[in-house]
Amino acid sequence: MGKIIAVVNQKGGVGKTTTSINLAASLGILKKKTLLVDLDPQGNATTGVGMERGDIKNSIYEVLIKKCEIENSIIKTKSKNLWLIPAYLNLAGVDMELVELEREYREKNEPFSRVNRLKEEISKIKDNYDFIIIDCPPSLGILTTNALAASDSVLIPVQCEYFALEGIMQLINTIMLAQKKVNPNLDIEGVLLTMLTANTNLGLEVIESIRSFFKERVYDTIIPRLIRLAEAPSHGKPILEYEPRSRGTLAYLNLAKEVIERNGTKEESTR
Ligand SMILES: Nc1ncnc2c1ncn2[C@@H]1O[C@H](COP(=O)(O)OP(=O)(O)O)[C@@H](O)[C@H]1O
Ligand SMILES: [Mg+2]
């Protein structure tokens, strides 16, 4: 049964998309069938695995508003064991569309839950994958709520910077609210330190404060700040294809191994 992990932080620029792409690709290389779901209207995870607007017939937007079956939105990427449900800018308007749909269904006396749309759809296909990774937008709106409702757990990237913990309480509150209202089983998968600049005291201080706050939930793997990781998406490749021997590749492979280990499955898929 597929494990569904939402990569969440309402702060922009903390490494959600970079982590979603590279964790998903690394899980794929480690023989896990993985589906990457782009849930950000910016579509950076989509282009980051090499899909252009022209490659996309149906995106997560059409799935959420019931214009297409989820099976028909899934694209095989060039990466091993990695599939994608893409997103592009039209997703930005999904909020209003869902409100409108909810009204239409209510008039017909048919059930419709706009916060559970992603969950309803993903549940149809989740058994086809070992892992489903959802790249969330930098907000706590309807899209992130859908992700929290649909997921087994959340992975929180935290940038190694001075204000790292700023906004974390709001995020924790949102996760607790989601547990109460839409998903009592929602777990914290782990906290990932990202963009560590080598040899700075500041970085070490931040690591310490985040470790004392989140304790053993923090992954041992820390993602270094590397120009190669920032470059890879513009070539439409995960780091392990763009620069297989880079420290970024090693870091995300190590993260994937930790994720696999925490989920108590062997690295070798039984499928
Ligand atoms: N480890 C890293 N080293 C260097 N640049 C990074 C790293 N992680 C992310 N970036 C860059 O920082 C910016 C924000 O990262 P991104 O993953 O898009 O964050 P988010 O999805 O949270 O907004 C992007 O330009 C990305 O290429
Ligand atoms: Mg992003």
Side-chain angles (χ1 to χ4, degrees):
M1 204 169 80
K3 170 90 185 229
I4 308 170
I5 301 174
V7 180
V8 184
N9 190 331
Q10 79 276 22
K11 249 197 207 183
V14 298
K16 288 183 292 298
T17 301
T18 304
T19 296
S20 299
I21 293 170
N22 292 301
L23 171 60
S26 302
L27 288 167
I29 280 288
L30 297 173
K31 304 205 167 104
K32 299 297 179 189
K33 276 188 82 177
T34 304
L35 175 67
L36 173 62
V37 180
D38 192 349
L39 203 59
D40 186 342
Q42 297 301 321
N44 292 338
T46 299
T47 48
V49 294
M51 293 301 161
E52 300 296 335
R53 177 69 190 87
D55 303 324
I56 304 170
K57 263 218 321 271
N58 296 304
S59 69
I60 191 68
Y61 168 81
E62 285 78 18
V63 174
L64 291 173
I65 65 167
K66 296 195 177 207
K67 277 238 173 80
C68 107
E69 295 293 331
I70 189 161
E71 290 87 346
N72 297 332
S73 71
I74 299 171
I75 318 174
K76 177 70 183 72
T77 71
K78 294 196 186 86
S79 303
K80 211 171 163 195
N81 292 320
L82 182 62
W83 284 261
L84 170 79
I85 300 184
Y88 61 99
L89 271 177
N90 65 354
L91 184 60
V94 80
D95 200 346
M96 297 303 287
E97 298 271 359
L98 288 175
V99 170
E100 183 59 24
L101 267 181
E102 198 167 64
R103 195 184 57 75
E104 283 172 25
Y105 275 74
R106 199 177 307 130
E107 275 172 10
K108 290 188 286 186
N109 264 328
E110 284 173 28
F112 186 93
S113 164
R114 89 193 127 102
V115 296
N116 284 312
R117 281 301 300 133
L118 187 62
K119 179 184 178 149
E120 288 164 11
E121 296 299 332
I122 282 193
S123 64
K124 298 176 188 168
I125 48 131
K126 73 174 192 178
D127 291 345
N128 301 341
Y129 301 92
D130 295 307
F131 286 96
I132 298 176
I133 307 293
I134 306 175
D135 183 28
C136 290
S139 69
L140 297 174
I142 188 76
L143 287 170
T144 297
T145 307
N146 264 272
L148 295 178
S151 298
D152 296 308
S153 62
V154 297
L155 191 158
I156 308 172
V158 176
Q159 193 181 341
C160 295
E161 52 155 15
Y162 189 64
F163 294 111
L165 283 172
E166 200 181 67
I168 287 289
M169 282 326 290
Q170 195 193 356
L171 178 56
I172 300 285
N173 283 337
T174 303
I175 291 168
M176 279 167 28
L177 193 66
Q179 285 167 334
K180 210 162 112 190
K181 301 272 184 195
V182 289
N183 188 355
N185 299 320
L186 184 65
D187 221 345
I188 294 191
E189 180 71 28
V191 175
L192 176 69
L193 292 156
T194 65
M195 289 185 243
L196 177 68
T197 311
N199 305 322
T200 65
N201 288 332
L202 176 60
L204 296 178
E205 274 171 38
V206 172
I207 292 171
E208 218 164 274
S209 71
I210 292 169
R211 287 229 158 99
S212 68
F213 187 80
F214 284 107
K215 307 265 177 341
E216 70 284 354
R217 293 210 195 270
V218 183
Y219 292 105
D220 293 338
T221 305
I222 298 179
I223 308 300
R225 181 182 286 280
L226 296 172
I227 194 80
R228 290 286 190 243
L229 277 169
E231 284 171 358
S234 61
H235 298 263
K237 288 178 178 173
I239 188 71
L240 57 83
E241 282 157 40
Y242 179 62
E243 189 78 40
R245 298 155 85 82
S246 93
R247 285 197 291 138
T249 299
L250 190 65
Y252 274 108
L253 275 173
N254 282 338
L255 173 67
K257 286 177 189 165
E258 280 195 71
V259 168
I260 292 169
E261 223 164 78
R262 281 191 191 188
N263 284 285
T265 55
K266 288 200 294 284
E267 266 174 45
E268 197 78 3
S269 175
T270 48
R271 275 164 219 279

